[in-house]
Amino acid sequence: MKRILTIQDISCLGKCSITVALPLISAMGVETVILPTALLSTHTMFHGFTVKDLEDQLIPITDHWKKEEVEFDAIYTGYLGTEEEIETVKKIIDRFRTDRTLVFVDPAMGDNGRLYPAFDEHYALKNAGLCAIADVIVPNITEAAFMTGAEYKEIYDESYIKDLLSRLAGLGAKTVALTGVSLSEGKTGVMGYDTEAGEYFSYQNDRIPVSYHGTGDVFSSTVIGSLMNGISWQNSLKIAADYTAHTIDVTRKNPKKPWYGVDFEATIPDLLKALKEADLLSA
Ligand code: PXL
């Protein structure tokens, strides 16, 4: 069984970061080791949340793992609360990376043209430094613009997206994928670029006119889970885009949905079906 390490916060209530990554990636048949960077009562879209920084635990925990000679097939990082955490995470990647470790970075820090309340432009540049050492990165357009100094646009064409992809590639990652890319009216999806093969990949779904918290984490967890199942990066992006769109649709139709996250628990069987079909196709 493949084993991945995911480094992000635990938001006890809120369906994001580790409480999405752990169930989803485990359900996809991949052992998921967690390194919690902070413990929050809820995610930061709630008012009055509590937060306990766990920064001082990161090195002691990983020291212990080193003694146990544990190895990871992938390291997946998500929301990291502070610049210091980013620096520590870079050191941890350095310590555990081998020739066969896939380093996957979701620089979760903003959306819709704005950074989340906890972050500023300096933080975004630190995250660009983390993306530089990754094999695969999956920012949205907001995060890409803040990390590369490009203008954030809501109305754009494919050449704007290709320019963002080339700026992201310039940071250093091998495969770059932009999420929340709309290439025609009523559509949304993902566009990726493999710097080694010089290949683009684009996939669009119908846009569902609602927005829920945690969908970026659902998308990223599904991409890394698919990659660990031996699925190509293009098909992994497609499976994740379809699964995220499907989960948003199911959530939207639930009259009793909580406001703070999506009903990914209800759609896990559909994800596993898609994964099985992809495996069969590539066999
Ligand atoms: O889903 C991203 C995320 C993760 N963790 C925390 C957050 C957010 C987004 O706001 O607040 C604590």
Side-chain angles (χ1 to χ4, degrees), residues 97 131-132 134-137 169 172-176 193-196:
R97 186 174 218 165
C131 287
D135 295 301
V136 181
I137 60 172
K174 292 192 200 98
T175 304
V176 296
Y193 178 59
D194 176 340
T195 58
E196 282 172 355

Side-chain angles (χ1 to χ4, degrees), residues 9 11 16-17 40 42-45 79 108 116 213-214 217:
D9 66 276
S11 290
C16 69
S17 39
L40 292 86
T42 62
H43 61 57
T44 58
M45 297 295 138
Y79 183 104
Y116 295 140
H213 207 69
D217 300 332

Side-chain angles (χ1 to χ4, degrees), residues 30-52:
V30 178
E31 180 185 345
T32 310
V33 177
I34 61 166
L35 184 58
T37 53
L39 183 67
L40 292 86
S41 54
T42 62
H43 61 57
T44 58
M45 297 295 138
F46 284 80
H47 291 292
F49 60 88
T50 67
V51 56
K52 167 80 178 157

Side-chain angles (χ1 to χ4, degrees), residues 1-275:
M1 188 182 284
K2 292 275 169 96
R3 178 189 299 124
I4 88 159
L5 165 62
T6 187
I7 311 178
Q8 35 189 336
D9 66 276
I10 296 182
S11 290
C12 298
L13 167 73
K15 304 209 226 191
C16 69
S17 39
I18 284 181
T19 64
V20 165
L22 182 57
L24 269 184
I25 302 170
S26 300
M28 294 170 90
V30 178
E31 180 185 345
T32 310
V33 177
I34 61 166
L35 184 58
T37 53
L39 183 67
L40 292 86
S41 54
T42 62
H43 61 57
T44 58
M45 297 295 138
F46 284 80
H47 291 292
F49 60 88
T50 67
V51 56
K52 167 80 178 157
D53 188 23
L54 300 176
E55 160 81 28
D56 66 350
Q57 293 300 303
L58 304 184
I59 296 298
I61 290 172
T62 48
D63 279 346
H64 182 203
W65 291 344
K66 265 286 160 199
K67 284 200 192 108
E68 296 292 327
E69 297 182 2
V70 65
E71 292 187 353
F72 302 108
D73 297 287
I75 300 175
Y76 156 34
T77 71
Y79 183 104
L80 300 171
T82 62
E83 292 187 25
E84 294 71 42
E85 257 164 39
I86 294 178
E87 281 310 311
T88 308
V89 165
K90 279 167 85 173
K91 284 187 198 134
I92 293 168
I93 290 172
D94 208 39
R95 284 182 87 190
F96 284 89
R97 186 174 218 165
T98 67
D99 289 348
R100 57 180 191 86
T101 316
L102 184 86
V103 175
F104 182 100
V105 172
D106 177 358
M109 60 182 156
D111 210 355
N112 302 314
R114 290 214 299 268
L115 293 173
Y116 295 140
F119 304 132
D120 60 17
E121 285 169 17
H122 199 259
Y123 174 90
L125 295 180
K126 272 272 176 210
N127 242 345
L130 179 59
C131 287
I133 62 163
D135 295 301
V136 181
I137 60 172
V138 289
N140 60 30
I141 295 176
T142 302
E143 292 154 352
F146 273 101
M147 287 195 296
T148 63
E151 186 191 349
Y152 171 77
K153 291 188 184 175
E154 299 216 324
I155 297 166
Y156 50 77
D157 56 14
E158 195 179 274
S159 68
Y160 170 71
I161 298 301
K162 284 191 165 169
D163 176 56
L164 280 181
L165 286 171
S166 108
R167 287 171 185 251
L168 289 169
L171 296 178
K174 292 192 200 98
T175 304
V176 296
L178 260 179
T179 62
V181 170
S182 171
L183 292 177
S184 55
E185 183 80 30
K187 298 275 179 186
T188 187
V190 55
M191 186 158 180
Y193 178 59
D194 176 340
T195 58
E196 282 172 355
E199 259 175 39
Y200 288 97
F201 171 75
S202 173
Y203 184 70
Q204 297 274 290
N205 263 308
D206 287 342
R207 174 194 283 279
I208 306 170
V210 288
S211 163
Y212 297 118
H213 207 69
T215 50
D217 300 332
V218 169
F219 178 84
S220 294
S221 301
T222 311
V223 177
I224 187 71
S226 301
L227 289 171
M228 289 295 101
N229 273 278
I231 294 168
S232 70
W233 68 273
Q234 296 94 333
N235 273 338
S236 296
L237 291 178
K238 178 179 178 300
I239 288 170
D242 282 343
Y243 176 61
T244 308
H246 174 55
T247 302
I248 291 171
D249 196 38
V250 166
T251 304
R252 178 172 69 138
K253 291 174 182 150
N254 173 9
K256 292 193 174 152
K257 61 181 160 291
W259 66 266
Y260 51 75
V262 286
D263 289 348
F264 72 91
E265 302 88 340
T267 52
I268 288 177
D270 306 321
L271 171 61
L272 301 190
K273 215 166 126 221
L275 208 59

